[in-house]
Amino acid sequence: QVQLVESGGGLVQAGGSLRLSCVGSVTIPGINTMGWYRQAPGNERELVATMANDGSTNYADSVKGRFTISRDNAKMIVYLQMTGLKAEDTAVYYCYVNGWKTRGGLSRQDYWGQGTQVTVSS
């Protein structure tokens, strides 16, 4: 069953903007960190941006100053506002959540969305 649903990907010209959204599920217990990773063909999956429950953020150097992550904790939504897009931003973007493995809270695990394609043309 799908627990994370991404939306907002698409085709955009270089210099343009997109906003990605990811809606979490109440079936994921103990959510702490939410964020975004991406994977381009032939490359490893890499961190784009994350935000913890305390509001602290972590951005890849390549997107600092261009991308902004935000969260609506009440609705369990994480956003990625992307501006000044470049061709090298082209990738499949995956929503990421760290939560408890079970409601007992004995261990944590990563949860992943199915991915949304972002293509930047130049």
Side-chain angles (χ1 to χ4, degrees):
Q1 187 175 18
V2 176
Q3 294 177 288
L4 298 172
V5 180
E6 303 107 328
S7 62
L11 175 64
V12 65
Q13 291 186 338
S17 300
L18 286 173
R19 188 179 73 164
L20 306 182
S21 301
C22 174
V23 182
S25 171
V26 296
T27 64
I28 301 177
I31 291 175
N32 183 359
T33 300
M34 303 183 74
W36 297 90
Y37 286 68
R38 68 186 181 188
Q39 186 168 19
N43 291 358
E44 296 182 346
R45 187 174 299 186
E46 64 177 355
L47 180 146
V48 178
T50 61
M51 178 177 284
N53 284 356
D54 65 2
S56 61
T57 58
N58 186 24
Y59 290 93
D61 289 341
S62 60
V63 307
K64 288 179 179 177
R66 299 189 297 119
F67 292 8
T68 302
I69 188 170
S70 60
R71 287 172 58 172
D72 183 335
N73 292 325
K75 298 181 179 179
M76 283 189 291
I77 302 174
V78 60
Y79 302 96
L80 186 68
Q81 179 67 50
M82 305 184 293
T83 61
L85 284 163
K86 305 174 180 179
E88 51 263 43
D89 294 318
T90 296
V92 177
Y93 284 69
Y94 295 91
C95 182
Y96 161 84
V97 169
N98 182 261
W100 293 337
K101 185 175 182 180
T102 67
R103 69 170 65 91
L106 295 180
S107 63
R108 306 191 70 84
Q109 73 171 48
D110 297 334
Y111 297 83
W112 297 94
Q114 295 180 343
T116 184
Q117 177 71 47
V118 172
T119 302
V120 183
S121 62
S122 60

